[in-house]
Amino acid sequence: MFFGSDNTGPAHPSVMAAMAEANTGFQPSYGDDALMERVRDQIRTLFEAPQASVYLVATGTAANALALATLSQPWQTVFCTPLAHIHTDECNAPEFFTGGAKLSLTGAADKMTPADLRAAIAEWPKGDVHVAQHGPLALTQATERGRIYSCEELAALTRVARDHGLPTYLDGARFANAVAALGCTPADMTWKAGIDAVSMGGTKNGCLGVEAVIFFNPENAWEFELRRKRSAHLFSKHRFLSAQMLEYLKDDLWLDLARTANARAATLVAGLRDLPEAGIVVEPEVNMIFATLPRATHQRLKAAGAAYGLYDGPLDNGPDDEPLMMRLVCDWSITEDHIATFLDLARG
Amino acid sequence: MFFGSDNTGPAHPSVMAAMAEANTGFQPSYGDDALMERVRDQIRTLFEAPQASVYLVATGTAANALALATLSQPWQTVFCTPLAHIHTDECNAPEFFTGGAKLSLTGAADKMTPADLRAAIAEWPKGDVHVAQHGPLALTQATERGRIYSCEELAALTRVARDHGLPTYLDGARFANAVAALGCTPADMTWKAGIDAVSMGGTKNGCLGVEAVIFFNPENAWEFELRRKRSAHLFSKHRFLSAQMLEYLKDDLWLDLARTANARAATLVAGLRDLPEAGIVVEPEVNMIFATLPRATHQRLKAAGAAYGLYDGPLDNGPDDEPLMMRLVCDWSITEDHIATFLDLARG
Amino acid sequence: MFFGSDNTGPAHPSVMAAMAEANTGFQPSYGDDALMERVRDQIRTLFEAPQASVYLVATGTAANALALATLSQPWQTVFCTPLAHIHTDECNAPEFFTGGAKLSLTGAADKMTPADLRAAIAEWPKGDVHVAQHGPLALTQATERGRIYSCEELAALTRVARDHGLPTYLDGARFANAVAALGCTPADMTWKAGIDAVSMGGTKNGCLGVEAVIFFNPENAWEFELRRKRSAHLFSKHRFLSAQMLEYLKDDLWLDLARTANARAATLVAGLRDLPEAGIVVEPEVNMIFATLPRATHQRLKAAGAAYGLYDGPLDNGPDDEPLMMRLVCDWSITEDHIATFLDLARG
Amino acid sequence: MFFGSDNTGPAHPSVMAAMAEANTGFQPSYGDDALMERVRDQIRTLFEAPQASVYLVATGTAANALALATLSQPWQTVFCTPLAHIHTDECNAPEFFTGGAKLSLTGAADKMTPADLRAAIAEWPKGDVHVAQHGPLALTQATERGRIYSCEELAALTRVARDHGLPTYLDGARFANAVAALGCTPADMTWKAGIDAVSMGGTKNGCLGVEAVIFFNPENAWEFELRRKRSAHLFSKHRFLSAQMLEYLKDDLWLDLARTANARAATLVAGLRDLPEAGIVVEPEVNMIFATLPRATHQRLKAAGAAYGLYDGPLDNGPDDEPLMMRLVCDWSITEDHIATFLDLARG
């Protein structure tokens, strides 16, 4: 029962098989491998973006920090939500990679509205040398609370950005889960909605460690390549990043795995809804659930070895019936059995 | 005939098999996996250093830049040779990770002597606020020209460093090749020779992408962990770094592969020595050869698909018999057949 | 009628005279001038801190950014209020000088309470490598809204900081105005209240451009000196910084000028209170006033050449009686006449 | 007898008088003062460059580091000589301000030739993501050894730079001394010779602390302004920088003072040439002399209070007649008497 994150599960067997298959003979290094050529082509096709620049890195933080650094200047501020991963979970990586840009926390929790964004931009008067200058808009899709922006919501936000000359970046660590939930195309959710650059995460969805970074404007390409090398994120045996991504793209594996993960979360939520003492904190839209259970229930679950994040506490001390918030994440490898066991335990 | 680098070959099959084996069930992420526990123990045993801090990253540049940043301050200068990888091949990664430290080029080509180091230190008067302050000594073993420092040479250099309060770092991208050539122990070549931190490369020697960074002084540990996360080099599915390294350490695979690579290079050098028109530029000590062949021979080799680095040029234009320098690198996967084919072609 | 800032007025004549007086003969450069020796001694005496390290820089932003960088690490977060000058008015200088530290906005507007600080610290769980680590507490005294912390309030805040191992910095751009208002000693308001480092501003209070930075812990001294040089803030003809500061300290000129400025503001506030249509937004405690006047009154004042900051707008368009917020600042050179003229105009 | 540097003397009395004169009434801050308007106009006229962007900062290191940062990217290398002030005397300020650019030491000692520059550029193959990319050419005029480039030499160097797409910066800490020595115009020595940006130093030549930074391409202007603010080098009471520069420009004071300084150095050199035991190390062209005297002579001079830099040593121990190199610098305030006294002492 590992619901702690979508990075504690294994890679999908076919991804691992593709790694083994790629492990023969010689290949040019540093991204000049033949597999990368195919990755590039397929991502361009998938995104209906024949001019896009496509790169692979091994971690989501690298994707975010490198993309934002490429789109910003050190004297600017990025606009992101208070719960944005780039703010809360990257140990100042964006500040490091950008050379000291600021993050302006915009909106409430994990989402922002056009009005929030306009207000945040207005905090920093344009053309005033004393203040942080306007930098990129950074959105996360699906969000850190397991919600999604509709394509219309994204378009409305990027329109505000465009009006102020801000480039836009979409942190797609759970890109596939969002596409699966929205039933839209990758193009719909990105450049057609005004997004300039996006990461398409593989690591949390069946890969070992690979994220694609896609710039729809090829002008950013060379700077990104230099930043990737300078930050030590250019792999010599790059074929092993390519092989993962290629398999991930093949026959829509990325989408199938995300659909599975989302479906598992839906099953789990449904089970929780049947528990009178459970409370759903955020209406789940992808593979992540924020819900409360009474302390005593948590004690029982944890004692039985269930792994998941507990936000409130302490676990050991307090009224048995006090509701404590948890985060449950399902990746593709979570089974119906795992869920049943968890719910049985929760039922007591 | 791929002699371009020791990063164009495949991973060793048993390393790949270990990856697949690790790909079952759930594992805590970000280095808390059970495999990493074993990696740590085994490296401490191998290095006879029970207190050492042990970390894994995926690229050699990350190992170098993170270790140097941990050992230095932004207002300092690192002392390294003019051909040090950190100076010539990392697109300013050390400058980026250190926050703007300088590299003082010390010695000639790929090696320095204690006298060189003393002279370089003397260039920057101690206690003068106007100048770059004394920072770490960074050595590469084996060097970028395929040579090695004896343990006594290392000890003499670190003694100078110690006299001036400089920490010492050993770039061990080809650590195994050097140990194999010297016939010493990892401890002999590191802390017993006065080295404070070392990288032990796996990528060039049979792994997919993994380097161990070892600090003999555990005081540096937490800062390194923060720097690794902040630079996006902490892997969520860390088990796949651990699994590589664990297999690499098992039954001295690391040493066997390095011995094979060194032996292949020795065969190749012997063959070149038999060619009257070939010139050995640097006496090879590990798996890397710097030698000259006439332009016409290069043309024949390149036409036949031989891959290797050519330093002089142009290939297409000039006297047929003009000697042009090349770099030939053998990794563990180079076979006697590859070498025979290459030499046959070179013989014409 | 220049109420725009306390940096638009002239230097006090005796400060300028001291500059001229210092302009004879030769003096060692870079802070080794004889005047600096005396500055150091006098500041140590004034602050009752015989071990303090004392430095001069020319701008308030330099004082803030250098002190914070000295007290922090790039992976940390500084705790400051949402209206802190370091956040709102320094174009990311703290982020630049610290190498990418974050600012966590704590409390409301220009002040924070111990509860605010505890809550802000709790946002970043200690020992978690993924999050920004706990860095310095930065307070401004007097604040950016013209208010002051009592010495007890300061002590309560630094106690929280100390409990969490945070160093504390006091931005004293208007240090003198705060001391004048509190009637305490410099020691009371700094190290006796738990402050580790403080800037004592001269620029806004009768000098041309000089700020003292004082570390009560001499361990920080050498790092500060290196940071000052590396950021190009070490003056070669340093005597001209020393001369300003020496005169500023002489016979409590710094305190007299601040008392004058505070008194002028008090006169101005009293006059505004007599205007039925004026609203005092923040109860003024030093030399800075945030108040509202109707749009029509602003139009009249601006047309007559009054200079001051207008926060709401637009000036030209809207109901005549809509209250718009302004900031009025008095430096020592504002006269009773200036104030009378301003109030006459405001009365209409 | 203060020959230690041209920053140990006083400001010229008329510059100080101009400071006092500027010290009346209110002036907009941060460079919006009326005096700055006039500085801008006069520098544009002086340089025959009506489009130039003109800024003032207070230190030479700030001028250099800000200009280079504006002209470069963090992954590039600056080309400068091994004795360039930016390399030897700024505690890594260029590395800090550029965000980690490298300095490639080009040529010998204080000067480089076009061949040197071409060779240095060739060290970093264009378009290779692994290496430092080509950044600005930085020259010092007059050089750190008291020599000058002719306008033709400058043009030949900038032609090489232009051929490789490198912007060019001239560190003019002793700009006036060079113009005085060459008898050319400021335009001849800058944009007409292919220079993109230049600093025109005032601090070493009669001012208190002011340097103009001039960009002939106004595209760089706004970025420079942001960098200046972000590095805390934008003065609030900017009028005191403007007033210095305005007086410095008035009636060619800058040129007169430089001529005086150069002439004093010429007198001093002539005197040294008459001493059989003195050796001129570098043929002096401006106000700086590198020469040797026997140890015993140095002992006599130092005992008598002469201040100057001694490069070899130790002073106290060694053969009396061993020649030790010194640096003697004359600023405008050095008198014929100072020189006569020094030479008398040297004669023994």
Side-chain angles (χ1 to χ4, degrees):
Chain A
M1 292 173 300
F2 287 79
F3 298 99
S5 177
D6 30 16
N7 60 33
T8 57
H12 190 269
S14 73
V15 173
M16 185 54 83
M19 294 282 279
E21 211 171 307
N23 195 36
T24 52
F26 291 83
Q27 278 290 344
S29 43
Y30 296 116
D32 293 333
D33 52 293
L35 299 175
M36 184 59 203
E37 194 70 31
R38 292 167 55 197
V39 167
R40 197 177 294 113
D41 286 348
Q42 294 191 19
I43 285 189
R44 286 173 172 170
T45 303
L46 179 65
F47 281 79
E48 307 163 42
Q51 306 295 331
S53 301
V54 179
Y55 299 106
L56 301 181
V57 293
T59 71
T61 297
N64 291 341
L66 283 168
L68 285 172
T70 302
L71 297 176
S72 68
Q73 296 290 346
W75 40 82
Q76 293 179 341
T77 181
V78 173
F79 296 93
C80 66
T81 68
L83 290 182
H85 193 270
I86 57 171
H87 175 61
T88 63
D89 279 286
E90 301 188 350
C91 193
N92 297 3
E95 287 88 347
F96 176 44
F97 281 69
T98 59
K102 198 185 273 295
L103 307 189
S104 284
L105 306 185
T106 307
D110 59 324
K111 287 186 80 170
M112 66 172 79
T113 65
D116 293 332
L117 179 55
R118 271 190 296 265
I121 292 171
E123 290 278 310
W124 305 105
K126 194 175 166 67
D128 180 346
V129 82
H130 298 274
V131 307
Q133 308 295 303
H134 299 155
L137 167 64
L139 300 170
T140 314
Q141 174 84 322
T143 75
E144 293 79 5
R145 279 285 182 262
R147 300 197 294 170
I148 40 182
Y149 293 98
S150 70
C151 294
E152 293 68 35
E153 284 177 314
L154 290 175
L157 284 163
T158 63
R159 222 171 293 130
V160 176
R162 202 122 318 186
D163 288 349
H164 290 83
L166 278 54
T168 57
Y169 171 68
L170 194 67
D171 171 354
R174 294 187 181 91
F175 183 90
N177 304 86
V179 169
L182 284 174
C184 66
T185 69
D188 288 340
M189 208 174 79
T190 57
W191 64 269
K192 288 187 180 175
I195 295 294
D196 293 315
V198 62
S199 69
M200 181 191 180
T203 313
K204 289 180 190 296
N205 190 35
C207 296
L208 295 85
V210 70
E211 314 276 311
V213 181
I214 302 153
F215 288 91
F216 298 109
N217 182 347
E219 269 179 34
N220 298 119
W222 181 234
E223 178 171 334
F224 183 89
E225 290 194 44
L226 291 163
R227 288 186 179 275
R228 179 176 57 167
K229 174 63 201 174
R230 188 175 71 120
S231 63
H233 284 286
L234 176 58
F235 272 45
S236 58
K237 294 186 171 172
H238 187 279
R239 67 167 102 178
F240 296 115
L241 295 183
S242 307
Q244 292 179 63
M245 185 49 71
L246 204 54
E247 184 65 25
Y248 186 60
L249 295 169
K250 192 175 158 189
D251 299 334
D252 283 346
L253 178 63
W254 64 279
L255 200 50
D256 286 347
L257 296 180
R259 282 178 184 143
T260 302
N262 288 0
R264 291 292 178 274
T267 305
L268 182 49
V269 170
L272 289 171
R273 285 195 209 275
D274 289 343
L275 296 179
E277 68 275 26
I280 305 299
V281 179
V282 182
E283 204 52 42
E285 300 184 89
V286 287
N287 65 328
M288 200 155 40
I289 301 161
F290 289 83
T292 58
L293 287 174
R295 178 175 279 106
T297 310
H298 283 300
Q299 288 169 343
R300 198 163 54 238
L301 284 160
K302 291 281 186 182
Y308 57 86
L310 194 60
Y311 283 61
D312 302 315
L315 178 62
D316 295 341
N317 191 13
D320 273 10
D321 59 351
E322 187 186 359
L324 304 179
M325 189 171 84
M326 63 185 171
R327 185 184 84 153
L328 303 172
V329 193
C330 297
D331 81 346
W332 66 275
S333 73
I334 293 286
T335 62
E336 300 281 0
D337 273 4
H338 292 137
I339 292 168
T341 312
F342 183 90
L343 290 171
D344 280 350
L345 273 162
R347 265 175 227 117
Chain B
M1 292 174 297
F2 286 80
F3 298 100
S5 177
D6 30 15
N7 60 33
T8 56
H12 190 268
S14 73
V15 172
M16 185 54 83
M19 294 283 278
E21 212 171 306
N23 195 36
T24 52
F26 292 83
Q27 278 290 344
S29 44
Y30 297 116
D32 292 334
D33 52 295
L35 299 175
M36 185 58 204
E37 195 71 32
R38 292 167 57 198
V39 167
R40 197 178 293 111
D41 286 348
Q42 294 191 20
I43 285 189
R44 285 173 173 171
T45 302
L46 178 66
F47 280 81
E48 307 164 44
Q51 307 295 331
S53 301
V54 179
Y55 299 106
L56 301 181
V57 292
T59 71
T61 297
N64 291 341
L66 283 168
L68 286 172
T70 303
L71 296 175
S72 68
Q73 296 289 346
W75 40 83
Q76 293 180 341
T77 181
V78 173
F79 296 93
C80 66
T81 68
L83 290 181
H85 193 270
I86 56 171
H87 175 60
T88 63
D89 279 286
E90 302 187 349
C91 193
N92 297 3
E95 288 87 347
F96 175 45
F97 281 69
T98 59
K102 198 184 274 293
L103 306 188
S104 285
L105 306 185
T106 306
D110 59 323
K111 288 186 80 171
M112 67 172 79
T113 66
D116 293 332
L117 179 56
R118 271 190 295 265
I121 293 171
E123 290 279 310
W124 305 105
K126 194 177 165 67
D128 180 347
V129 82
H130 298 273
V131 307
Q133 308 294 304
H134 298 156
L137 167 64
L139 301 169
T140 314
Q141 174 85 322
T143 75
E144 292 80 4
R145 280 286 181 260
R147 301 197 292 170
I148 41 183
Y149 293 97
S150 71
C151 293
E152 293 68 34
E153 284 177 313
L154 290 175
L157 284 163
T158 64
R159 223 172 293 128
V160 176
R162 201 121 321 184
D163 288 349
H164 290 84
L166 279 52
T168 56
Y169 171 68
L170 195 67
D171 171 354
R174 294 188 180 91
F175 183 89
N177 304 85
V179 169
L182 284 173
C184 68
T185 69
D188 288 340
M189 208 173 79
T190 56
W191 64 268
K192 288 187 178 174
I195 295 294
D196 294 315
V198 62
S199 69
M200 181 190 181
T203 313
K204 289 180 192 295
N205 190 34
C207 296
L208 296 85
V210 70
E211 314 276 312
V213 181
I214 303 153
F215 288 91
F216 299 108
N217 182 346
E219 269 179 34
N220 298 119
W222 181 234
E223 178 172 335
F224 183 88
E225 291 195 44
L226 290 163
R227 288 186 179 277
R228 180 176 56 167
K229 174 63 200 172
R230 188 177 69 120
S231 62
H233 284 286
L234 176 57
F235 272 45
S236 58
K237 293 185 170 172
H238 187 279
R239 65 166 102 176
F240 296 115
L241 296 183
S242 307
Q244 292 179 62
M245 185 49 71
L246 204 54
E247 184 65 25
Y248 187 60
L249 295 169
K250 193 175 159 190
D251 298 333
D252 283 347
L253 178 64
W254 64 280
L255 200 49
D256 286 348
L257 296 180
R259 282 177 183 142
T260 301
N262 289 1
R264 292 291 177 274
T267 305
L268 183 49
V269 170
L272 289 172
R273 284 196 210 278
D274 289 344
L275 295 179
E277 68 274 26
I280 306 299
V281 178
V282 182
E283 205 51 44
E285 301 184 270
V286 286
N287 65 327
M288 200 154 40
I289 301 162
F290 290 83
T292 58
L293 285 175
R295 177 175 280 106
T297 310
H298 284 300
Q299 287 170 344
R300 198 163 54 236
L301 283 160
K302 291 280 185 182
Y308 57 86
L310 193 59
Y311 282 61
D312 303 315
L315 178 62
D316 294 340
N317 191 13
D320 272 10
D321 58 351
E322 188 186 358
L324 305 179
M325 190 169 86
M326 64 185 170
R327 186 184 84 154
L328 302 172
V329 194
C330 297
D331 81 345
W332 67 275
S333 73
I334 294 286
T335 62
E336 300 281 0
D337 273 3
H338 292 136
I339 292 167
T341 311
F342 184 91
L343 290 171
D344 280 351
L345 273 163
R347 265 175 228 117
Chain C
M1 292 173 298
F2 286 80
F3 298 100
S5 177
D6 30 15
N7 60 33
T8 56
H12 190 268
S14 73
V15 173
M16 185 55 82
M19 293 282 279
E21 212 172 305
N23 195 36
T24 52
F26 292 83
Q27 277 291 343
S29 44
Y30 298 116
D32 293 333
D33 52 294
L35 298 176
M36 185 59 205
E37 194 71 31
R38 292 167 56 198
V39 167
R40 196 177 294 114
D41 287 349
Q42 294 191 19
I43 286 188
R44 286 172 172 171
T45 303
L46 178 65
F47 280 80
E48 307 163 44
Q51 308 294 332
S53 300
V54 179
Y55 299 106
L56 301 182
V57 292
T59 70
T61 297
N64 291 341
L66 283 167
L68 286 172
T70 302
L71 296 176
S72 68
Q73 296 290 345
W75 41 83
Q76 294 179 341
T77 181
V78 173
F79 296 93
C80 66
T81 68
L83 289 181
H85 192 270
I86 57 171
H87 175 61
T88 63
D89 278 287
E90 301 188 350
C91 193
N92 297 2
E95 288 87 347
F96 176 45
F97 282 69
T98 59
K102 199 184 272 295
L103 306 188
S104 285
L105 306 185
T106 306
D110 59 322
K111 287 186 80 171
M112 67 172 78
T113 66
D116 293 330
L117 179 55
R118 271 190 296 264
I121 292 171
E123 290 278 310
W124 304 105
K126 194 176 165 65
D128 180 347
V129 82
H130 298 272
V131 307
Q133 308 294 304
H134 299 155
L137 167 64
L139 301 168
T140 313
Q141 175 85 325
T143 75
E144 293 79 4
R145 280 285 181 261
R147 301 197 293 170
I148 41 182
Y149 293 97
S150 71
C151 294
E152 293 69 35
E153 285 177 312
L154 289 175
L157 284 163
T158 64
R159 223 172 291 129
V160 176
R162 201 122 320 186
D163 288 349
H164 290 83
L166 279 54
T168 55
Y169 171 67
L170 195 66
D171 171 354
R174 293 188 181 90
F175 183 89
N177 304 84
V179 169
L182 284 173
C184 67
T185 69
D188 288 340
M189 207 174 79
T190 57
W191 65 268
K192 289 188 180 175
I195 296 294
D196 294 314
V198 62
S199 70
M200 181 191 180
T203 313
K204 290 180 189 296
N205 190 35
C207 296
L208 295 84
V210 71
E211 315 276 312
V213 180
I214 303 152
F215 289 91
F216 298 109
N217 181 347
E219 271 179 32
N220 298 120
W222 181 234
E223 178 172 334
F224 183 88
E225 291 194 44
L226 290 163
R227 288 186 179 276
R228 180 176 56 168
K229 175 62 200 173
R230 188 176 71 119
S231 62
H233 284 287
L234 176 57
F235 272 46
S236 58
K237 293 186 171 172
H238 187 279
R239 67 166 101 178
F240 296 115
L241 296 183
S242 307
Q244 291 179 62
M245 185 51 69
L246 204 54
E247 184 65 25
Y248 187 60
L249 295 168
K250 192 175 159 191
D251 299 333
D252 284 345
L253 178 63
W254 63 280
L255 201 49
D256 286 347
L257 296 180
R259 281 177 184 143
T260 301
N262 289 0
R264 290 293 178 272
T267 305
L268 183 49
V269 170
L272 289 171
R273 285 195 209 278
D274 288 344
L275 295 178
E277 69 275 25
I280 306 299
V281 178
V282 183
E283 203 53 42
E285 300 183 271
V286 287
N287 65 326
M288 200 154 42
I289 300 162
F290 290 82
T292 58
L293 286 174
R295 177 175 279 106
T297 310
H298 284 300
Q299 287 169 344
R300 197 164 55 237
L301 283 160
K302 292 281 186 182
Y308 56 86
L310 194 58
Y311 283 62
D312 303 315
L315 179 62
D316 294 341
N317 191 13
D320 272 12
D321 59 351
E322 188 187 358
L324 305 179
M325 189 170 85
M326 64 183 170
R327 185 183 84 153
L328 302 172
V329 194
C330 297
D331 82 344
W332 68 274
S333 73
I334 294 285
T335 62
E336 300 281 359
D337 272 3
H338 292 138
I339 292 168
T341 311
F342 183 91
L343 290 171
D344 279 352
L345 273 163
R347 264 174 227 119
Chain D
M1 292 175 299
F2 287 80
F3 298 99
S5 177
D6 29 16
N7 60 33
T8 56
H12 189 268
S14 74
V15 172
M16 186 55 84
M19 293 283 279
E21 212 171 304
N23 195 37
T24 52
F26 292 84
Q27 278 291 344
S29 44
Y30 297 115
D32 293 333
D33 52 295
L35 298 176
M36 185 58 204
E37 194 70 32
R38 292 167 57 196
V39 167
R40 196 177 295 113
D41 287 348
Q42 295 192 18
I43 286 189
R44 286 173 172 170
T45 302
L46 178 65
F47 280 81
E48 307 162 44
Q51 307 295 332
S53 301
V54 179
Y55 299 106
L56 302 181
V57 292
T59 71
T61 297
N64 291 341
L66 284 168
L68 286 171
T70 303
L71 297 176
S72 68
Q73 295 290 346
W75 40 83
Q76 294 180 340
T77 181
V78 173
F79 297 93
C80 67
T81 68
L83 290 181
H85 193 270
I86 57 171
H87 175 61
T88 63
D89 279 286
E90 301 187 349
C91 193
N92 298 1
E95 288 87 348
F96 175 44
F97 281 69
T98 59
K102 198 184 273 295
L103 307 188
S104 285
L105 306 185
T106 306
D110 59 323
K111 287 186 80 171
M112 67 171 78
T113 66
D116 293 333
L117 179 56
R118 271 190 295 262
I121 292 171
E123 291 279 310
W124 305 105
K126 194 175 165 68
D128 180 347
V129 81
H130 298 274
V131 307
Q133 308 294 304
H134 298 156
L137 167 64
L139 301 169
T140 314
Q141 175 84 323
T143 75
E144 292 80 4
R145 280 285 181 263
R147 301 198 292 172
I148 40 182
Y149 293 98
S150 70
C151 294
E152 293 69 34
E153 285 177 312
L154 290 174
L157 285 163
T158 63
R159 224 171 291 129
V160 176
R162 202 121 319 185
D163 287 349
H164 290 82
L166 280 53
T168 55
Y169 171 68
L170 196 66
D171 171 354
R174 293 187 182 91
F175 183 89
N177 304 86
V179 169
L182 284 174
C184 67
T185 69
D188 288 340
M189 207 173 80
T190 56
W191 64 269
K192 290 188 179 174
I195 296 294
D196 293 316
V198 61
S199 69
M200 182 190 179
T203 314
K204 289 181 191 295
N205 191 35
C207 296
L208 296 85
V210 70
E211 315 276 312
V213 181
I214 303 153
F215 289 91
F216 298 109
N217 182 346
E219 270 180 31
N220 298 120
W222 181 234
E223 178 172 335
F224 183 89
E225 290 194 45
L226 290 164
R227 288 186 178 276
R228 179 175 59 168
K229 175 61 201 173
R230 187 176 72 119
S231 62
H233 284 286
L234 176 58
F235 272 45
S236 58
K237 292 185 172 174
H238 186 280
R239 67 166 103 179
F240 296 115
L241 295 183
S242 308
Q244 291 179 63
M245 185 50 70
L246 203 54
E247 184 65 24
Y248 187 59
L249 295 169
K250 193 175 158 190
D251 300 332
D252 283 345
L253 178 64
W254 63 280
L255 200 50
D256 286 348
L257 296 179
R259 281 178 185 144
T260 301
N262 288 1
R264 291 291 178 275
T267 304
L268 182 49
V269 170
L272 289 172
R273 285 196 210 277
D274 289 343
L275 295 178
E277 68 274 25
I280 306 299
V281 178
V282 182
E283 204 52 42
E285 300 183 90
V286 286
N287 65 326
M288 201 155 40
I289 300 162
F290 290 83
T292 59
L293 286 175
R295 177 175 280 106
T297 310
H298 284 301
Q299 287 168 345
R300 197 163 56 238
L301 284 160
K302 292 280 186 183
Y308 57 88
L310 194 59
Y311 282 62
D312 303 315
L315 178 63
D316 293 341
N317 191 14
D320 272 10
D321 58 353
E322 187 185 359
L324 304 179
M325 189 170 84
M326 63 184 170
R327 185 184 84 154
L328 302 172
V329 194
C330 297
D331 82 344
W332 68 275
S333 73
I334 293 286
T335 62
E336 299 281 0
D337 273 3
H338 292 137
I339 292 169
T341 311
F342 183 90
L343 289 172
D344 280 351
L345 273 163
R347 264 176 228 116

